[in-house]
Amino acid sequence: MIKKYIAVLACVLSLPIGHAVADEAPITLRFSHVVADDTPKGQGALMFQKLVQERLGGQVKVEVYPNSTLFGDADELQALQDGKVDLLAPSLAKFDQYTKQLQIFDLPFLFDDLEAVNRFQKRAKGRQLLRSMEDKGIVGLAYWHNGMKQMSANRALHAPADARGLSFRIQASGVLEAQFAQLGAKAVPMPFAEAFAALQSGKVQGTENTWSNLYSQKLNTVQPFITETNHGVLDYMLVTNSRTWYAIPHKTRTELEAIIDEVTFAVNHAAEQQNQADRQRIQSSGKTQLVPLSPEERQAWRTAMQPVWEQFTPEIGADIVKAAQIVNRKQSQ
Ligand code: LMR
C-alpha cells in the first residue's frame, strides 16, 4: 500500500505541473468598455480579440464586454485594480483621480486637430504619460484615438454666451467642469451610459462628444443642434493591471504587445474616417442642425476658455503643456 502511494507521489512529483497547467488553461483577458461595437474603440477591442485568437489561440483568450455590460464608468477602474477585469480603454478624461498629468488632453482648444494629438502622443512626453499611473498599478499600453469633440445643445451655440445657463452632461473631469463653468453653464458629470436618458428627459440640455459617440448612442436624436467646435480631444488609453500583465509569460506578453501595436495603428487610422462618416449620417438624418463656426467665432470660444489653461497648468506641469503646444506647429516636424 505504502509502496503504491510512493509510486503515485513519485509520478505526480515528476510531472512538470506548472507547464501542464500553463499549456492547458488559456489565459483569459477580460476587456470591458462603455461604447458600442461600431465605434473606434469598439472596433479596436474586437480586432484585438480576433488577432489574439488567430495568433495565440489556445494560449490567450480575449472576452470583450461592450456598452458598459460588465463595468461602467463609475466602477471600471476600481475593477481593474481589483483584478476583476484585465483591459480597459477609458477616455483620457477619466483618469484624473489617478494622475493630474493626463488632464493635458482635456484642455480646451489646446490641440489644433487629431494630427497634432497624434504627434504629441508619439513624442517622449506623450509616451512618458503612459507610465504616469504605474504607482497605482495601472500600466498604459497604448493611446487609441476617437476624435475631436463637438458641443451639442437644445439651442444653437454660436458664441460662448449662448451656453450660459444650460446644463451639460460631462465625463467626470475637473477640467471639463471648469470649461463649462467658464461659459456660465453647469456641468453635470455622469457615466456615458446615462447620457441619452439625461438628455431625453431634459435633466441636462447639452453635452460634448465625438461624432461617433453622438451617433452610436443616438444622442443626436435628442439634440437639435450640434456646433462644430472641435474644441477638445476624446482619446483613450488602453490600460491593464500591472499584476495581471507581468504575470503573463514574457514571450506571450511580447506577442500581445505586437498585436496591440498593430491594432493601435489600425484604430488610429480608421478613427477619423469613422467620425466623418457618422457626422455625415447625423447631417443626413435631417433631425439635427449642424452649426459651423467661422474662424472669428472659433477664436471667441478659444479666448473664453483661456482661464481654464491658467487654472490647470500648475497641476498638469508647465513642461507638459509646452510640449503639447509645440505639436501644433507642423513645421517643427
Ligand atoms: C464619454 O463618457 O463620453 C466617453 O468617454 C465614452 C467613451 O468611452 O468614448
Side-chain angles (χ1 to χ4, degrees), residues 104-315:
I104 184 70
F105 290 101
D106 283 341
L107 287 186
F109 296 98
L110 172 60
F111 297 106
D112 282 349
D113 49 29
L114 204 56
E115 286 293 299
V117 176
N118 206 34
R119 286 194 287 276
F120 175 70
Q121 290 173 349
K122 286 193 168 147
R123 288 187 181 179
K125 273 276 185 267
R127 304 233 27 105
Q128 213 173 299
L129 296 181
L130 289 171
R131 300 196 302 271
S132 59
M133 297 175 286
E134 277 186 351
D135 59 334
K136 315 279 186 322
I138 299 175
V139 180
L141 299 168
Y143 289 110
W144 283 2
H145 290 325
N146 184 326
M148 304 304 282
K149 290 179 293 184
Q150 319 301 328
M151 224 176 263
S152 67
N154 62 358
R155 59 181 187 231
L157 307 175
H158 294 280
D162 296 333
R164 192 179 299 278
L166 296 181
S167 295
F168 287 81
R169 177 268 162 177
I170 58 159
Q171 310 173 75
S173 143
V175 177
L176 300 180
E177 211 158 326
Q179 171 188 286
F180 282 103
Q182 206 52 47
L183 297 173
K186 187 166 169 237
V188 185
M190 74 178 71
F192 188 52
E194 292 169 24
F196 179 84
L199 286 164
Q200 193 184 36
S201 70
K203 180 177 173 196
V204 292
Q205 300 84 47
T207 190
E208 52 158 34
N209 225 310
T210 60
W211 297 110
S212 60
N213 276 353
L214 290 165
Y215 184 73
S216 60
Q217 297 295 315
K218 302 187 172 57
L219 302 184
N220 57 302
T221 64
V222 285
Q223 290 283 264
F225 299 95
I226 302 179
T227 302
E228 303 193 60
T229 45
N230 291 299
H231 62 282
V233 62
L234 195 160
D235 266 10
Y236 306 111
M237 191 183 285
L238 179 66
V239 288
T240 182
N241 167 328
S242 55
R243 266 175 293 132
T244 310
W245 196 244
Y246 296 112
I248 299 174
H250 184 263
K251 186 166 175 287
T252 311
R253 205 165 67 230
T254 307
E255 290 180 50
L256 285 171
E257 281 162 359
I259 294 173
I260 289 170
D261 282 349
E262 205 172 316
V263 176
T264 299
F265 184 84
V267 169
N268 289 351
H269 278 78
E272 180 63 9
Q273 241 174 315
Q274 166 101 52
N275 275 301
Q276 288 314 318
D278 287 339
R279 175 189 176 279
Q280 196 51 48
R281 289 186 182 102
I282 292 174
Q283 190 167 39
S284 308
S285 76
K287 292 197 182 116
T288 305
Q289 192 182 320
L290 305 194
V291 182
L293 292 181
S294 67
E296 295 73 29
E297 283 172 328
R298 193 162 189 276
Q299 186 54 41
W301 282 87
R302 196 170 206 280
T303 306
M305 292 184 181
Q306 276 310 296
V308 180
W309 288 36
E310 280 140 40
Q311 184 183 340
F312 286 91
T313 296
E315 56 185 59

